[in-house]
Amino acid sequence: MPELPEVEVSRLGISPHLQQQRIEKVVVRQRQLRWLIPDEVLQINQQPVLDVTRRAKYLLIHLPDGELIIHLGMSGHLKVVPAVTPAGKHDHVDIYLSNGLVLRLNDTRRFGAVLWQPKDTMHTLMENLGPEPLLGDFHAAMLLAACQKRSSAIKLVLMDNHVVVGVGNIYANEALFQAGIHPKMPANQLSAEKAELLVQVVKQILAKAITQGGTTLKDFSQTDGKPGYFAQQLLVYGRGGEECFSCQTELKEIRLGQRSTVYCPACQGEH
């Protein structure tokens, strides 16, 4: 599933093609994605694009009457192609632009979403979201306060969108490793010192991933496929049973919240 850095790279990739353009029309070939695409999306016509932003893992295309919300789900990706480019089997939504290009959503598994948020309202999916991890609202005091109320595993709290948005499974594994925190540690045992370190590490890891992803932006203007989500140097995720890069101890893999969790029993301790 695309995580926050991939979604942010998608935003950076599509933004130059949408800025100062109009959405002339929206063509929907498959209306039933994760949720039914609402009528308001089908009726978009000659609407100027005011901005393209991101909230958590949602992309928002701002129009005078509201925001077009796009979620990539598990397998979705966006590409920008000339309007004459034939649609493929899983190309479900085309957003036609005044510059002769089309913003095209491809989604093999159809777990993505294209929704509508009327002006001056908030979609239910946007309600109760925590702060953005790369902004100042995500800080050690805030994280510590949230953790003090919870006895569940720190990894699960870090992945809770009510606490902080966008820290998915990959980056939660990586951040806890770099902060030297065992993923099963009860959240209410997090110290102020470790909270400060964890916040710093989360910000650094996500920012680095976005920077790495910037090298793939050219792919958004290619007609032959995905944006090519970037290869990363992952220290623990997906490496269960291999040696820790730091101490050569065998990395352990467990399940937490039905998600794969990899950690180093030497660097992160045991619980």
Side-chain angles (χ1 to χ4, degrees):
M1 178 183 292
E3 296 210 31
L4 185 148
E6 288 86 351
V7 178
E8 177 64 12
V9 168
S10 293
R11 185 191 71 80
L12 294 169
I14 67 175
S15 291
H17 303 289
L18 273 67
Q19 290 169 355
Q20 300 181 327
Q21 302 300 319
R22 294 185 316 278
I23 294 181
E24 297 191 336
K25 62 179 179 178
V26 178
V27 173
V28 176
R29 300 182 190 84
Q30 172 54 261
R31 193 170 178 182
Q32 186 60 62
L33 301 180
R34 184 172 183 182
W35 298 285
L36 188 71
I37 296 177
D39 291 340
E40 292 90 339
V41 172
L42 307 180
Q43 295 164 3
I44 293 174
N45 180 47
Q46 300 298 322
Q47 290 283 306
V49 176
L50 305 178
D51 201 1
V52 181
T53 63
R54 178 192 53 76
R55 179 70 172 110
K57 295 183 183 179
Y58 300 98
L59 291 168
L60 285 81
I61 300 175
H62 297 257
L63 306 174
D65 296 334
E67 287 81 42
L68 188 61
I69 301 172
I70 299 176
H71 191 278
L72 299 177
M74 295 183 70
S75 61
H77 67 272
L78 295 167
K79 51 189 175 182
V80 178
V81 297
V84 295
T85 306
K89 180 179 180 181
H90 302 292
D91 291 337
H92 300 313
V93 179
D94 277 357
I95 300 172
Y96 282 79
L97 305 170
S98 52
N99 55 9
L101 299 174
V102 165
L103 176 63
R104 177 166 286 170
L105 173 64
N106 178 286
D107 189 356
T108 305
R109 301 181 68 177
R110 288 167 43 190
F111 286 163
V114 179
L115 302 169
W116 178 252
Q117 177 174 270
K119 186 178 180 181
D120 298 326
T121 68
M122 182 174 290
H123 196 282
T124 53
L125 292 172
M126 301 290 173
E127 295 175 350
N128 303 314
L129 289 176
E132 290 285 332
L134 292 170
L135 300 182
D137 291 343
F138 179 53
H139 51 77
M142 167 261 143
L143 178 61
L144 198 61
C147 287
Q148 286 175 346
K149 306 172 186 176
R150 295 168 168 84
S151 60
S152 52
I154 183 64
K155 185 194 173 201
L156 300 181
V157 174
L158 194 60
M159 292 177 61
D160 185 343
N161 279 329
H162 297 97
V163 176
V164 57
V165 299
V167 184
N169 192 39
I170 293 174
Y171 299 106
N173 276 276
E174 296 295 301
L176 290 169
F177 171 74
Q178 292 192 34
I181 300 171
H182 193 287
K184 288 179 68 175
M185 185 192 78
N188 54 18
Q189 293 183 14
L190 185 69
S191 67
E193 181 182 12
K194 283 293 188 180
E196 184 71 45
L197 178 58
L198 185 55
V199 166
Q200 291 177 6
V201 166
V202 166
K203 291 178 182 289
Q204 290 168 1
I205 289 174
L206 294 177
K208 181 179 179 182
I210 291 168
T211 300
Q212 288 177 319
T215 61
T216 69
L217 294 185
K218 60 180 176 55
D219 296 325
F220 282 91
S221 61
Q222 294 181 354
T223 61
D224 58 353
K226 300 182 180 182
Y229 292 133
F230 36 101
Q232 300 167 65
Q233 178 65 41
L234 299 175
L235 301 179
V236 290
Y237 180 80
R239 298 190 61 244
E242 299 179 28
E243 287 188 353
C244 173
F245 289 135
S246 297
C247 70
Q248 287 70 58
T249 300
E250 182 179 315
L251 298 175
K252 289 190 176 182
E253 182 168 357
I254 58 175
R255 304 290 289 184
L256 268 180
Q258 300 182 337
R259 305 298 296 276
S260 172
T261 301
V262 182
Y263 70 96
C264 175
C267 296
Q268 294 168 265
E270 281 288 14
H271 272 265

